Amino acid sequence: MRVPLSWLREYVDLPATETGRDVQAKLVSAGLEVETVEHLGADLKGPLVVGQVLTIEELEGFKKPIRFCTVDVGQANGTGEPQEIVCGARNFQVGDKVVVVLPGATLPGGFSIAARKTYGKTSHGMICSGDELGMGDDGSHGIIVLPPETEVGKDAIELLELVDEVLDIAVTANRGDCLSIRGVAREAAIAYGLPLRDPALLDVPGPNAFGYPVQVSDPFGCDRFTARTVTGLSPEARSPLWLQRRLQKVGMRPISLAVDVTNYVMMELGQPLHAYDRTLVRGTIGVRRAEEGEQIVTLDGVERKLHAEDLVITDERGPIGLAGVMGGANTEIADHAEGEGTTDVVIEAAHFDAVSIARTARRHKLSSEASRRFERGVDPQAAAAAAQRTVDLLVLLAGGTAEAGVTEVVAPSAPHTISVPADHPDKVAGVSYGRETVVRRLQEVGCDVYGQDELIVTVPSWRPDLQEINDLAEEVIRLEGYENLPSTLPRPPAGRGLTHRQRLHRRAGRALAGAGYVEAPNYPFVSEQVFDQLGLEADDPARRVVRLTNPLNDEEPALRTSLLPGLLGALRRNDGRGSHDLALFETGLVFLPRSEQRVAAVLPVDRRPTDAEIAELDAALPEQPRHVAVVLAGAREQAGWWGKGRPADWADAVEAGRLVAREAGAELVVRGGQYGPWHPGRCAEFVVVVDGAETVVGHAGELHPRVVKAFGLPARTSAMELDLDVLEAVGDDTPQAPAISTFPVATQDVALVVDKFVPHAEVETALREGAGELLEGIRLFDVYENEEQLGDGKKSLAYALRFRAGDRTLTVDEASAARDAAVALAGERTGAVLRG
């Protein structure tokens, strides 16, 4: 919200010495986020005056049209002689009043003006456009043409209000009242302790039976609708300079008088309005929900298909506007032209449901100044005053006549009251304010306050964000000054440190980083279409998601049930930007909906919640296990003088899972598997034993080609995902000191031929059990496949077995016996036979 300081001073008598920076400091202290203070005309230096064009000579022989003009600037040039100026603009003619900058002046941006020879003529100054003066575009796309009655030689800096300070305020979603000069003026008045001249305090005639007919069919969506009619507007009437300049300063472009007046009143009072060309409205104006599939062409020229939840303004033909968002093109106010334009208007000032307007604006991707205000909260009591203010300005500026009829449709409602203990703000802030201070601050906000120890507070209509006692406490605290709150450091009990879960989370991250992976945290939001890209079955539990009521992005309305979508997206982006050798990881929460949906309780803020209240809150939240995942593509080991390097493959993904399991102290069983995004022949399944039963905790391997294509990933991309919480539950990460023996090791190598479908993990498990206690370590060092030597469907797995005893040197016979026992058990369980 842009707030010109000159406009603000109309409603609050700020000290004359106060600058925009001073006002900014006061408003920031009161809780408003004033981002910048823009100094308009700070580097502007005159003479800048009003001139009248006397003659225009068209210069020939140039690539673009050039005009040599003589302009009467009165005595501003010191001689009274006409000023000779070269100009390329075409939107003015002889007799027009224009803005002239004379030699010696400086325009915004440090552009100095001097007499100079150009196009064969000497130009003594410049005829100015709005952009050149820092005013912005006024819609003419040319130089400024002033009203005929403007005095020649008058100072244009003062006339156009070129010097001002504008506060740019980032208004939060709960402070819709500050999306108006009225609301910011109220805050400034409170901050300075000055009275407010409320622009909404107008004499408004009561409703009668002569107003324009209105029928509200949805009183929940529209609880107040005021309609006023003005006739006999002059089609040639233009917005005066002061009104145009105020609109430009708040960031709006002047369009036409009727539209400019409605925009001006909206910025002044915060009440969005709409003006209909009365001759184009057919019959009664209605407010209802749209019928599914109805269409309307809005003022931006776009044909929109309506949803059944959209609130629309109608006449007997159908929709003529999206309520609270944008009007329809079929009742648009005609701009002033050669004797043509709108002469009779119907003014709409209504109050619409905030949620309905927000959803309509988002559904149609149509955010407007009106929708921004309605979805943040508009003062319903200001509608009649805004309509009256609009009528008064149209009568004053366009010579119109206000019809006596006044339409006001109001749904019955009662003021919102809150009962709050007088010392409640003291408890929240930890400061003793006292009852008098609490009552005074609430009254400054606009509340009516009664009672002694227990206050009955009636909330003002312009503050719909004040819903409960803590909102009132916040008002007292912010107006007393957040900077005045004492700083109290928390005193946690000593020696607690990180939880076991936090330590495992950090160890897993450090281990993966040490293995060459780069952490890539991602947003937890996903689209439900991503599960189709991952190739999950229709009944896969991962497809059950927690949907957000108010998502940041309509295309990603759900919380993730897997870390892979975010990581694969990060891998795709980095690969597209030239980084082809990638190894990324993430540890984070996934969100799994509970079978029974509960509503979360609102926890108190004046005391510590009880254990039962916390447990009730936890029970309403989705399950949030922590997962760890990696994705790999490109080279795992770079080529160089040391060798050829090698590409990342499924084995690296499997090894990442083993690495995390070792950090958790969990015994991880790796076996062949098949699931969702992974290639069915190159997918490993991770299993742990929980309470005597095997539980699948994750998968790793190469991604399916269809998944690679759907995500736009490099070929042979691999991935791994594990449930870190289950590993924590079954693991024992108690540090174990290694047993160091003084006796030598005996190494035996075996090569076993098995069927291709037999997993290495099953063979290794059998060898470990068969070898017994003498086995110190086992390592797979070769996998060989050759149909001629091994037979069809066979493979050879070669293992290095290390044997050692803690109390003696093993003999060859002892080591060989342990090896033979290992081979025998492997043969019994997996059908393995010694190779050759």
Side-chain angles (χ1 to χ4, degrees), residues 206 238 402 425 548 793:
R238 298 178 56 186
L548 299 173

Side-chain angles (χ1 to χ4, degrees), residues 19 55 131 154 220 309 383-384 510 521 547 555 563 578 638 726:
T19 66
T55 65
D131 284 335
K154 183 178 178 63
F220 176 80
E309 292 184 4
R510 284 196 295 266
R547 293 178 180 82
E555 296 179 358
L563 301 183
Q638 296 291 333
V726 176

Side-chain angles (χ1 to χ4, degrees), residues 628-682:
V628 58
V630 304
V631 292
L632 307 99
R636 185 69 176 123
E637 296 178 1
Q638 296 291 333
W641 58 264
W642 53 84
K644 295 181 179 179
R646 69 174 183 85
D649 60 16
W650 61 269
D652 295 299
V654 173
E655 182 56 30
R658 287 197 176 103
L659 178 63
V660 173
R662 285 196 293 270
E663 290 297 324
E667 185 176 345
L668 196 66
V669 177
V670 182
R671 63 191 184 196
Q674 183 173 344
Y675 178 69
W678 282 278
H679 192 297
R682 299 169 188 154

